[in-house]
Amino acid sequence: MKQIVLRAYPQGAPRAEDFAVETLAIPEPSAGEVLLKTYWLSLDPLIRFALDEQRLTGRAQVRPGEVVYGGAVSRVEASNAAGWTVGDWVEGRIGWREYAAIDPQLVPLRKLDCQAAPPSAALGLLGMPGQTAHACMIEIGRVKAGETVVISAAAGAVGSIAGQIGKILGARVIGIAGGEAKCRAVEALGFDACVDYKSPDFPQKLKAHCDGGIDVYIENVGGPVTDAVLPLLKYQARMPVCGFIAYYGIGLEGPGPDRLPGFMRTIMSKGLEVRGFGGALTAGPEALEDLAGWYREGRIKLTEAVVEGLEQAPAAFAGIFSGNSHVGKLVVRVADDQ
Ligand SMILES: NC(=O)c1ccc[n+]([C@@H]2O[C@H](COP(=O)([O-])OP(=O)(O)OC[C@H]3O[C@@H](n4cnc5c(N)ncnc54)[C@H](OP(=O)(O)O)[C@@H]3O)[C@@H](O)[C@H]2O)c1
């Protein structure tokens, strides 16, 4: 079997060379363990948090030589654990490897119903990113019909689902994404418009779409995108801080001047509600029921970008931070599930 380990802590944006492929024997499950075969891997920006030498955010930490941490969908191949049967489909933080012997008491696994949706959906729409999008729009953002919502990283897993939830709630939804092709793909999901943050007149274009001001800004990014959004926020706008990908890998302070004074002034003078959260914890299993219902009814699309083969995971992961052409949830097909 193959697995991907961390070769060296990434400095700034991760590169494919920060990882290495290892070949080893398929493990034997011990008492209390299941042997899992991986079919799908989830590539998430949050994995970057686990790759810092000094832990800044999150609980997981991967050291050089260790298997990269990450969500996966697998099937039970052998079981020495009560309650787990050969053939069960499961999702959990199984890591970037083709097989894993895991004690489900130590690594929580979720059993999947693969009749309702394909197995990979458990990593996107019907998993953590779906729950996070639900939390952005419902629990934290409290989006109402008629409101104007702006979503950054709109072509990503969370943003693409959040925008579709916004339309179900009756809001006007404006996405922000990198490049014209991504923006058109976002609009094809039902967003009212999507603005390319890489175009030179991005702030003016965004303003033109948000004439009456923004009620809710779903923050996934930071940097110049946020600079363009802040002046357009209405008084008492809500700003769920889901992520800040432009700052991953720059530590706690970053290289620039201290911009906090201006941000504090904006928060106070606009009465902003800025609220961070963990999506899966905030939205819980009920969110998955909502999402599964909307999917069944054809009100929300399952949008995935598929990369073929475990060995491609490092380059595809690096691409999240350096510009890619993917729209929807980025997954790696490790084995054919048909
Ligand atoms: N709070 C939580 O529980 C939680 C859970 C899941 C995700 N998140 C966060 O939510 C955000 C989106 O996650 P996701 O799963 O949707 O990720 P994703 O599917 O990998 O999409 C991320 C997108 O971010 C954009 N991006 C990358 N660097 C950027 C930059 N410097 N400036 C502007 N855009 C940039 C890229 O799109 P472009 O090509 O358009 O630039 C990329 O496609 C991330 O910040 C992530 O960490 C939070």
Side-chain angles (χ1 to χ4, degrees), residues 25-72:
I26 295 173
E28 288 288 334
S30 308
E33 289 186 339
V34 287
L35 176 67
L36 300 178
K37 175 175 174 169
T38 305
Y39 286 80
W40 294 96
L41 271 192
S42 177
L43 298 183
D44 297 287
L46 292 172
I47 294 172
R48 179 67 185 82
F49 290 167
L51 308 181
D52 277 318
E53 186 164 8
Q54 180 200 353
R55 191 192 309 169
L56 302 173
T57 315
R59 279 170 297 167
Q61 197 166 19
V62 181
R63 294 185 177 75
E66 292 180 351
V67 176
V68 180
Y69 160 95

mmCIF file of all heavy atoms in Angstrom, residues 25-72:
data_model
loop_
_atom_site.group_PDB
_atom_site.id
_atom_site.type_symbol
_atom_site.label_atom_id
_atom_site.label_comp_id
_atom_site.label_asym_id
_atom_site.label_seq_id
_atom_site.Cartn_x
_atom_site.Cartn_y
_atom_site.Cartn_z
ATOM 1 N N ALA A 25 3.709 -2.423 3.798
ATOM 2 C CA ALA A 25 2.770 -3.551 3.816
ATOM 3 C C ALA A 25 1.416 -3.092 4.344
ATOM 4 O O ALA A 25 1.344 -2.184 5.190
ATOM 5 C CB ALA A 25 3.315 -4.657 4.709
ATOM 6 N N ILE A 26 0.353 -3.734 3.854
ATOM 7 C CA ILE A 26 -0.990 -3.441 4.388
ATOM 8 C C ILE A 26 -1.018 -3.915 5.834
ATOM 9 O O ILE A 26 -0.600 -5.042 6.134
ATOM 10 C CB ILE A 26 -2.066 -4.157 3.545
ATOM 11 C CG1 ILE A 26 -2.053 -3.581 2.125
ATOM 12 C CG2 ILE A 26 -3.444 -4.024 4.176
ATOM 13 C CD1 ILE A 26 -2.959 -4.307 1.150
ATOM 14 N N PRO A 27 -1.488 -3.066 6.776
ATOM 15 C CA PRO A 27 -1.449 -3.468 8.191
ATOM 16 C C PRO A 27 -2.463 -4.561 8.516
ATOM 17 O O PRO A 27 -3.479 -4.700 7.824
ATOM 18 C CB PRO A 27 -1.789 -2.165 8.929
ATOM 19 C CG PRO A 27 -2.560 -1.350 7.945
ATOM 20 C CD PRO A 27 -2.059 -1.716 6.585
ATOM 21 N N GLU A 28 -2.171 -5.315 9.583
ATOM 22 C CA GLU A 28 -3.118 -6.302 10.129
ATOM 23 C C GLU A 28 -3.880 -5.616 11.245
ATOM 24 O O GLU A 28 -3.256 -5.015 12.123
ATOM 25 C CB GLU A 28 -2.355 -7.482 10.746
ATOM 26 C CG GLU A 28 -1.686 -8.401 9.752
ATOM 27 C CD GLU A 28 -2.703 -9.256 8.993
ATOM 28 O OE1 GLU A 28 -3.790 -9.506 9.542
ATOM 29 O OE2 GLU A 28 -2.394 -9.636 7.849
ATOM 30 N N PRO A 29 -5.219 -5.673 11.267
ATOM 31 C CA PRO A 29 -5.937 -5.035 12.374
ATOM 32 C C PRO A 29 -5.759 -5.832 13.679
ATOM 33 O O PRO A 29 -5.866 -7.057 13.669
ATOM 34 C CB PRO A 29 -7.396 -5.063 11.908
ATOM 35 C CG PRO A 29 -7.468 -6.179 10.919
ATOM 36 C CD PRO A 29 -6.113 -6.319 10.286
ATOM 37 N N SER A 30 -5.457 -5.132 14.767
ATOM 38 C CA SER A 30 -5.341 -5.765 16.085
ATOM 39 C C SER A 30 -6.736 -5.892 16.702
ATOM 40 O O SER A 30 -7.725 -5.449 16.112
ATOM 41 C CB SER A 30 -4.465 -4.909 17.010
ATOM 42 O OG SER A 30 -3.253 -4.623 16.381
ATOM 43 N N ALA A 31 -6.768 -6.456 17.915
ATOM 44 C CA ALA A 31 -8.047 -6.568 18.635
ATOM 45 C C ALA A 31 -8.642 -5.171 18.795
ATOM 46 O O ALA A 31 -7.934 -4.227 19.146
ATOM 47 C CB ALA A 31 -7.815 -7.198 19.997
ATOM 48 N N GLY A 32 -9.933 -5.040 18.496
ATOM 49 C CA GLY A 32 -10.615 -3.740 18.642
ATOM 50 C C GLY A 32 -10.469 -2.846 17.429
ATOM 51 O O GLY A 32 -11.038 -1.740 17.400
ATOM 52 N N GLU A 33 -9.724 -3.295 16.408
ATOM 53 C CA GLU A 33 -9.485 -2.439 15.239
ATOM 54 C C GLU A 33 -10.260 -2.932 14.013
ATOM 55 O O GLU A 33 -10.628 -4.112 13.922
ATOM 56 C CB GLU A 33 -8.001 -2.400 14.895
ATOM 57 C CG GLU A 33 -7.169 -1.619 15.910
ATOM 58 C CD GLU A 33 -5.710 -1.461 15.469
ATOM 59 O OE1 GLU A 33 -5.227 -2.256 14.628
ATOM 60 O OE2 GLU A 33 -5.058 -0.545 15.984
ATOM 61 N N VAL A 34 -10.432 -2.015 13.075
ATOM 62 C CA VAL A 34 -10.954 -2.380 11.754
ATOM 63 C C VAL A 34 -9.868 -2.081 10.727
ATOM 64 O O VAL A 34 -9.061 -1.169 10.911
ATOM 65 C CB VAL A 34 -12.228 -1.582 11.387
ATOM 66 C CG1 VAL A 34 -13.426 -2.054 12.183
ATOM 67 C CG2 VAL A 34 -12.029 -0.077 11.572
ATOM 68 N N LEU A 35 -9.856 -2.885 9.652
ATOM 69 C CA LEU A 35 -8.979 -2.553 8.514
ATOM 70 C C LEU A 35 -9.837 -1.826 7.497
ATOM 71 O O LEU A 35 -10.869 -2.338 7.049
ATOM 72 C CB LEU A 35 -8.389 -3.819 7.889
ATOM 73 C CG LEU A 35 -7.543 -3.539 6.632
ATOM 74 C CD1 LEU A 35 -6.276 -2.765 6.989
ATOM 75 C CD2 LEU A 35 -7.178 -4.845 5.907
ATOM 76 N N LEU A 36 -9.406 -0.621 7.151
ATOM 77 C CA LEU A 36 -10.165 0.213 6.212
ATOM 78 C C LEU A 36 -9.422 0.353 4.904
ATOM 79 O O LEU A 36 -8.194 0.552 4.898
ATOM 80 C CB LEU A 36 -10.371 1.619 6.803
ATOM 81 C CG LEU A 36 -11.125 1.691 8.132
ATOM 82 C CD1 LEU A 36 -11.202 3.133 8.614
ATOM 83 C CD2 LEU A 36 -12.532 1.108 7.989
ATOM 84 N N LYS A 37 -10.165 0.271 3.809
ATOM 85 C CA LYS A 37 -9.604 0.574 2.493
ATOM 86 C C LYS A 37 -10.149 1.937 2.052
ATOM 87 O O LYS A 37 -11.366 2.164 2.070
ATOM 88 C CB LYS A 37 -10.001 -0.502 1.475
ATOM 89 C CG LYS A 37 -9.547 -0.151 0.073
ATOM 90 C CD LYS A 37 -9.818 -1.266 -0.920
ATOM 91 C CE LYS A 37 -9.455 -0.747 -2.313
ATOM 92 N NZ LYS A 37 -9.410 -1.730 -3.326
ATOM 93 N N THR A 38 -9.246 2.838 1.696
ATOM 94 C CA THR A 38 -9.652 4.202 1.344
ATOM 95 C C THR A 38 -10.102 4.271 -0.111
ATOM 96 O O THR A 38 -9.394 3.778 -1.001
ATOM 97 C CB THR A 38 -8.469 5.175 1.547
ATOM 98 O OG1 THR A 38 -8.023 5.027 2.893
ATOM 99 C CG2 THR A 38 -8.863 6.613 1.295
ATOM 100 N N TYR A 39 -11.251 4.917 -0.327
ATOM 101 C CA TYR A 39 -11.743 5.164 -1.686
ATOM 102 C C TYR A 39 -11.642 6.630 -2.067
ATOM 103 O O TYR A 39 -11.335 6.960 -3.199
ATOM 104 C CB TYR A 39 -13.193 4.667 -1.826
ATOM 105 C CG TYR A 39 -13.255 3.159 -1.894
ATOM 106 C CD1 TYR A 39 -13.170 2.384 -0.739
ATOM 107 C CD2 TYR A 39 -13.340 2.507 -3.116
ATOM 108 C CE1 TYR A 39 -13.178 1.000 -0.805
ATOM 109 C CE2 TYR A 39 -13.354 1.120 -3.193
ATOM 110 C CZ TYR A 39 -13.268 0.376 -2.039
ATOM 111 O OH TYR A 39 -13.259 -0.987 -2.109
ATOM 112 N N TRP A 40 -11.927 7.511 -1.109
ATOM 113 C CA TRP A 40 -11.945 8.954 -1.388
ATOM 114 C C TRP A 40 -11.222 9.713 -0.279
ATOM 115 O O TRP A 40 -11.416 9.416 0.899
ATOM 116 C CB TRP A 40 -13.391 9.474 -1.451
ATOM 117 C CG TRP A 40 -14.179 8.927 -2.591
ATOM 118 C CD1 TRP A 40 -15.032 7.857 -2.546
ATOM 119 C CD2 TRP A 40 -14.194 9.404 -3.936
ATOM 120 N NE1 TRP A 40 -15.575 7.641 -3.789
ATOM 121 C CE2 TRP A 40 -15.083 8.588 -4.660
ATOM 122 C CE3 TRP A 40 -13.555 10.453 -4.589
ATOM 123 C CZ2 TRP A 40 -15.336 8.778 -6.022
ATOM 124 C CZ3 TRP A 40 -13.805 10.650 -5.940
ATOM 125 C CH2 TRP A 40 -14.690 9.811 -6.635
ATOM 126 N N LEU A 41 -10.428 10.688 -0.686
ATOM 127 C CA LEU A 41 -9.766 11.587 0.279
ATOM 128 C C LEU A 41 -10.351 12.974 0.126
ATOM 129 O O LEU A 41 -10.636 13.408 -0.990
ATOM 130 C CB LEU A 41 -8.290 11.760 -0.080
ATOM 131 C CG LEU A 41 -7.235 10.834 0.439
ATOM 132 C CD1 LEU A 41 -5.875 11.463 0.143
ATOM 133 C CD2 LEU A 41 -7.401 10.587 1.906
ATOM 134 N N SER A 42 -10.427 13.682 1.232
ATOM 135 C CA SER A 42 -10.896 15.062 1.222
ATOM 136 C C SER A 42 -9.702 15.994 1.324
ATOM 137 O O SER A 42 -8.867 15.828 2.223
ATOM 138 C CB SER A 42 -11.806 15.257 2.439
ATOM 139 O OG SER A 42 -12.238 16.578 2.519
ATOM 140 N N LEU A 43 -9.604 16.968 0.410
ATOM 141 C CA LEU A 43 -8.536 17.969 0.518
ATOM 142 C C LEU A 43 -9.163 19.259 1.036
ATOM 143 O O LEU A 43 -9.997 19.858 0.351
ATOM 144 C CB LEU A 43 -7.865 18.186 -0.833
ATOM 145 C CG LEU A 43 -7.177 16.953 -1.424
ATOM 146 C CD1 LEU A 43 -6.488 17.292 -2.735
ATOM 147 C CD2 LEU A 43 -6.186 16.330 -0.449
ATOM 148 N N ASP A 44 -8.795 19.638 2.243
ATOM 149 C CA ASP A 44 -9.386 20.807 2.910
ATOM 150 C C ASP A 44 -8.311 21.807 3.289
ATOM 151 O O ASP A 44 -7.253 21.406 3.804
ATOM 152 C CB ASP A 44 -10.071 20.368 4.219
ATOM 153 C CG ASP A 44 -11.219 19.430 3.970
ATOM 154 O OD1 ASP A 44 -12.248 19.891 3.492
ATOM 155 O OD2 ASP A 44 -11.073 18.219 4.243
ATOM 156 N N PRO A 45 -8.590 23.117 3.126
ATOM 157 C CA PRO A 45 -7.622 24.119 3.584
ATOM 158 C C PRO A 45 -7.245 23.945 5.054
ATOM 159 O O PRO A 45 -6.111 24.227 5.451
ATOM 160 C CB PRO A 45 -8.348 25.450 3.378
ATOM 161 C CG PRO A 45 -9.403 25.174 2.360
ATOM 162 C CD PRO A 45 -9.778 23.730 2.499
ATOM 163 N N LEU A 46 -8.200 23.459 5.859
ATOM 164 C CA LEU A 46 -7.939 23.357 7.302
ATOM 165 C C LEU A 46 -6.813 22.371 7.625
ATOM 166 O O LEU A 46 -6.234 22.438 8.714
ATOM 167 C CB LEU A 46 -9.214 22.942 8.050
ATOM 168 C CG LEU A 46 -10.345 23.977 8.075
ATOM 169 C CD1 LEU A 46 -11.607 23.380 8.663
ATOM 170 C CD2 LEU A 46 -9.931 25.203 8.876
ATOM 171 N N ILE A 47 -6.482 21.475 6.699
ATOM 172 C CA ILE A 47 -5.356 20.550 6.931
ATOM 173 C C ILE A 47 -4.078 21.363 7.148
ATOM 174 O O ILE A 47 -3.189 20.951 7.896
ATOM 175 C CB ILE A 47 -5.202 19.586 5.730
ATOM 176 C CG1 ILE A 47 -6.423 18.661 5.639
ATOM 177 C CG2 ILE A 47 -3.920 18.756 5.850
ATOM 178 C CD1 ILE A 47 -6.461 17.800 4.378
ATOM 179 N N ARG A 48 -4.011 22.546 6.518
ATOM 180 C CA ARG A 48 -2.821 23.404 6.669
ATOM 181 C C ARG A 48 -2.541 23.709 8.148
ATOM 182 O O ARG A 48 -1.375 23.851 8.546
ATOM 183 C CB ARG A 48 -3.023 24.702 5.857
ATOM 184 C CG ARG A 48 -1.876 25.708 5.931
ATOM 185 C CD ARG A 48 -0.624 25.173 5.262
ATOM 186 N NE ARG A 48 0.511 26.053 5.418
ATOM 187 C CZ ARG A 48 1.297 26.119 6.491
ATOM 188 N NH1 ARG A 48 1.038 25.359 7.540
ATOM 189 N NH2 ARG A 48 2.327 26.929 6.524
ATOM 190 N N PHE A 49 -3.617 23.818 8.954
ATOM 191 C CA PHE A 49 -3.440 24.112 10.387
ATOM 192 C C PHE A 49 -2.635 23.020 11.089
ATOM 193 O O PHE A 49 -1.979 23.271 12.100
ATOM 194 C CB PHE A 49 -4.792 24.225 11.103
ATOM 195 C CG PHE A 49 -5.604 25.445 10.748
ATOM 196 C CD1 PHE A 49 -6.939 25.516 11.121
ATOM 197 C CD2 PHE A 49 -5.059 26.517 10.063
ATOM 198 C CE1 PHE A 49 -7.709 26.632 10.812
ATOM 199 C CE2 PHE A 49 -5.806 27.643 9.747
ATOM 200 C CZ PHE A 49 -7.142 27.699 10.127
ATOM 201 N N ALA A 50 -2.731 21.776 10.596
ATOM 202 C CA ALA A 50 -2.052 20.643 11.246
ATOM 203 C C ALA A 50 -0.584 20.558 10.851
ATOM 204 O O ALA A 50 0.154 19.734 11.386
ATOM 205 C CB ALA A 50 -2.762 19.347 10.890
ATOM 206 N N LEU A 51 -0.157 21.403 9.884
ATOM 207 C CA LEU A 51 1.189 21.250 9.326
ATOM 208 C C LEU A 51 2.162 22.315 9.815
ATOM 209 O O LEU A 51 3.262 22.450 9.271
ATOM 210 C CB LEU A 51 1.120 21.284 7.781
ATOM 211 C CG LEU A 51 0.124 20.309 7.131
ATOM 212 C CD1 LEU A 51 0.170 20.436 5.618
ATOM 213 C CD2 LEU A 51 0.402 18.873 7.560
ATOM 214 N N ASP A 52 1.770 23.112 10.801
ATOM 215 C CA ASP A 52 2.682 24.123 11.355
ATOM 216 C C ASP A 52 3.533 23.495 12.446
ATOM 217 O O ASP A 52 3.039 22.696 13.252
ATOM 218 C CB ASP A 52 1.889 25.289 11.961
ATOM 219 C CG ASP A 52 1.476 26.296 10.898
ATOM 220 O OD1 ASP A 52 2.313 26.606 10.026
ATOM 221 O OD2 ASP A 52 0.319 26.761 10.941
ATOM 222 N N GLU A 53 4.796 23.901 12.494
ATOM 223 C CA GLU A 53 5.708 23.363 13.515
ATOM 224 C C GLU A 53 5.207 23.740 14.902
ATOM 225 O O GLU A 53 5.207 22.935 15.831
ATOM 226 C CB GLU A 53 7.110 23.919 13.273
ATOM 227 C CG GLU A 53 8.146 23.308 14.178
ATOM 228 C CD GLU A 53 9.558 23.574 13.686
ATOM 229 O OE1 GLU A 53 9.736 24.362 12.730
ATOM 230 O OE2 GLU A 53 10.483 22.984 14.280
ATOM 231 N N GLN A 54 4.778 24.993 15.019
ATOM 232 C CA GLN A 54 4.213 25.438 16.293
ATOM 233 C C GLN A 54 2.699 25.437 16.123
ATOM 234 O O GLN A 54 2.180 26.054 15.181
ATOM 235 C CB GLN A 54 4.704 26.865 16.580
ATOM 236 C CG GLN A 54 4.187 27.445 17.870
ATOM 237 C CD GLN A 54 4.270 28.980 17.875
ATOM 238 O OE1 GLN A 54 4.823 29.591 16.963
ATOM 239 N NE2 GLN A 54 3.710 29.577 18.899
ATOM 240 N N ARG A 55 1.985 24.718 17.007
ATOM 241 C CA ARG A 55 0.546 24.613 16.811
ATOM 242 C C ARG A 55 -0.125 25.967 17.113
ATOM 243 O O ARG A 55 0.001 26.508 18.214
ATOM 244 C CB ARG A 55 -0.044 23.539 17.722
ATOM 245 C CG ARG A 55 -1.471 23.218 17.343
ATOM 246 C CD ARG A 55 -2.187 22.398 18.356
ATOM 247 N NE ARG A 55 -1.443 21.201 18.742
ATOM 248 C CZ ARG A 55 -1.794 20.455 19.764
ATOM 249 N NH1 ARG A 55 -2.837 20.762 20.482
ATOM 250 N NH2 ARG A 55 -1.101 19.390 20.072
ATOM 251 N N LEU A 56 -0.834 26.520 16.119
ATOM 252 C CA LEU A 56 -1.475 27.827 16.279
ATOM 253 C C LEU A 56 -2.985 27.675 16.449
ATOM 254 O O LEU A 56 -3.616 28.421 17.180
ATOM 255 C CB LEU A 56 -1.195 28.711 15.050
ATOM 256 C CG LEU A 56 0.285 28.974 14.736
ATOM 257 C CD1 LEU A 56 0.425 29.706 13.416
ATOM 258 C CD2 LEU A 56 0.928 29.782 15.851
ATOM 259 N N THR A 57 -3.581 26.735 15.729
ATOM 260 C CA THR A 57 -5.040 26.543 15.728
ATOM 261 C C THR A 57 -5.322 25.056 15.524
ATOM 262 O O THR A 57 -4.601 24.398 14.789
ATOM 263 C CB THR A 57 -5.689 27.295 14.538
ATOM 264 O OG1 THR A 57 -5.123 28.585 14.447
ATOM 265 C CG2 THR A 57 -7.182 27.418 14.694
ATOM 266 N N GLY A 58 -6.375 24.556 16.148
ATOM 267 C CA GLY A 58 -6.782 23.166 15.899
ATOM 268 C C GLY A 58 -6.030 22.192 16.796
ATOM 269 O O GLY A 58 -5.014 22.532 17.414
ATOM 270 N N ARG A 59 -6.553 20.974 16.841
ATOM 271 C CA ARG A 59 -5.974 19.984 17.745
ATOM 272 C C ARG A 59 -4.958 19.084 17.061
ATOM 273 O O ARG A 59 -3.994 18.646 17.657
ATOM 274 C CB ARG A 59 -7.089 19.104 18.342
ATOM 275 C CG ARG A 59 -7.805 19.762 19.500
ATOM 276 C CD ARG A 59 -9.016 18.978 19.886
ATOM 277 N NE ARG A 59 -9.979 18.948 18.782
ATOM 278 C CZ ARG A 59 -11.028 18.148 18.725
ATOM 279 N NH1 ARG A 59 -11.265 17.298 19.673
ATOM 280 N NH2 ARG A 59 -11.851 18.184 17.696
ATOM 281 N N ALA A 60 -5.195 18.792 15.761
ATOM 282 C CA ALA A 60 -4.324 17.830 15.075
ATOM 283 C C ALA A 60 -2.978 18.458 14.754
ATOM 284 O O ALA A 60 -2.888 19.661 14.490
ATOM 285 C CB ALA A 60 -5.003 17.385 13.787
ATOM 286 N N GLN A 61 -1.944 17.659 14.807
ATOM 287 C CA GLN A 61 -0.620 18.139 14.431
ATOM 288 C C GLN A 61 0.125 16.989 13.754
ATOM 289 O O GLN A 61 0.123 15.871 14.252
ATOM 290 C CB GLN A 61 0.141 18.593 15.677
ATOM 291 C CG GLN A 61 1.323 19.458 15.324
ATOM 292 C CD GLN A 61 1.885 20.180 16.533
ATOM 293 O OE1 GLN A 61 1.628 19.786 17.667
ATOM 294 N NE2 GLN A 61 2.673 21.212 16.300
ATOM 295 N N VAL A 62 0.702 17.272 12.598
ATOM 296 C CA VAL A 62 1.452 16.250 11.850
ATOM 297 C C VAL A 62 2.910 16.653 11.866
ATOM 298 O O VAL A 62 3.245 17.791 11.525
ATOM 299 C CB VAL A 62 0.948 16.167 10.385
ATOM 300 C CG1 VAL A 62 1.706 15.102 9.608
ATOM 301 C CG2 VAL A 62 -0.555 15.895 10.341
ATOM 302 N N ARG A 63 3.778 15.720 12.238
ATOM 303 C CA ARG A 63 5.220 16.019 12.252
ATOM 304 C C ARG A 63 5.870 15.355 11.037
ATOM 305 O O ARG A 63 5.325 14.393 10.486
ATOM 306 C CB ARG A 63 5.843 15.485 13.538
ATOM 307 C CG ARG A 63 5.325 16.228 14.761
ATOM 308 C CD ARG A 63 6.021 15.811 16.037
ATOM 309 N NE ARG A 63 5.541 16.600 17.153
ATOM 310 C CZ ARG A 63 4.363 16.433 17.750
ATOM 311 N NH1 ARG A 63 3.531 15.475 17.347
ATOM 312 N NH2 ARG A 63 3.992 17.209 18.745
ATOM 313 N N PRO A 64 7.028 15.845 10.608
ATOM 314 C CA PRO A 64 7.703 15.203 9.477
ATOM 315 C C PRO A 64 7.830 13.699 9.703
ATOM 316 O O PRO A 64 8.163 13.244 10.800
ATOM 317 C CB PRO A 64 9.060 15.906 9.444
ATOM 318 C CG PRO A 64 8.751 17.278 9.967
ATOM 319 C CD PRO A 64 7.737 17.062 11.063
ATOM 320 N N GLY A 65 7.517 12.928 8.661
ATOM 321 C CA GLY A 65 7.572 11.466 8.753
ATOM 322 C C GLY A 65 6.222 10.854 9.085
ATOM 323 O O GLY A 65 6.029 9.648 8.924
ATOM 324 N N GLU A 66 5.272 11.685 9.548
ATOM 325 C CA GLU A 66 3.956 11.144 9.913
ATOM 326 C C GLU A 66 2.973 11.256 8.741
ATOM 327 O O GLU A 66 3.088 12.147 7.883
ATOM 328 C CB GLU A 66 3.381 11.895 11.116
ATOM 329 C CG GLU A 66 4.158 11.630 12.395
ATOM 330 C CD GLU A 66 3.611 12.365 13.610
ATOM 331 O OE1 GLU A 66 2.725 13.237 13.456
ATOM 332 O OE2 GLU A 66 4.100 12.084 14.709
ATOM 333 N N VAL A 67 1.976 10.355 8.746
ATOM 334 C CA VAL A 67 0.939 10.361 7.699
ATOM 335 C C VAL A 67 0.139 11.661 7.802
ATOM 336 O O VAL A 67 -0.191 12.117 8.898
ATOM 337 C CB VAL A 67 -0.015 9.158 7.887
ATOM 338 C CG1 VAL A 67 -1.153 9.214 6.871
ATOM 339 C CG2 VAL A 67 0.740 7.866 7.748
ATOM 340 N N VAL A 68 -0.171 12.246 6.648
ATOM 341 C CA VAL A 68 -0.911 13.508 6.645
ATOM 342 C C VAL A 68 -2.334 13.255 7.126
ATOM 343 O O VAL A 68 -2.991 12.293 6.717
ATOM 344 C CB VAL A 68 -0.907 14.140 5.241
ATOM 345 C CG1 VAL A 68 -1.675 15.451 5.244
ATOM 346 C CG2 VAL A 68 0.526 14.360 4.769
ATOM 347 N N TYR A 69 -2.759 14.170 7.981
ATOM 348 C CA TYR A 69 -4.078 14.120 8.593
ATOM 349 C C TYR A 69 -5.122 14.568 7.577
ATOM 350 O O TYR A 69 -4.873 15.492 6.799
ATOM 351 C CB TYR A 69 -4.003 15.089 9.772
ATOM 352 C CG TYR A 69 -5.278 15.624 10.340
ATOM 353 C CD1 TYR A 69 -5.871 14.999 11.437
ATOM 354 C CD2 TYR A 69 -5.872 16.771 9.823
ATOM 355 C CE1 TYR A 69 -7.027 15.514 11.991
ATOM 356 C CE2 TYR A 69 -7.028 17.287 10.375
ATOM 357 C CZ TYR A 69 -7.590 16.649 11.450
ATOM 358 O OH TYR A 69 -8.731 17.143 11.995
ATOM 359 N N GLY A 70 -6.266 13.909 7.536
ATOM 360 C CA GLY A 70 -7.320 14.391 6.647
ATOM 361 C C GLY A 70 -8.494 13.431 6.597
ATOM 362 O O GLY A 70 -8.366 12.241 6.934
ATOM 363 N N GLY A 71 -9.631 13.953 6.176
ATOM 364 C CA GLY A 71 -10.842 13.151 6.090
ATOM 365 C C GLY A 71 -10.788 12.198 4.907
ATOM 366 O O GLY A 71 -10.149 12.484 3.891
ATOM 367 N N ALA A 72 -11.465 11.064 5.037
ATOM 368 C CA ALA A 72 -11.507 10.086 3.950
ATOM 369 C C ALA A 72 -12.800 9.288 4.061
ATOM 370 O O ALA A 72 -13.415 9.207 5.131
ATOM 371 C CB ALA A 72 -10.300 9.149 4.019
#
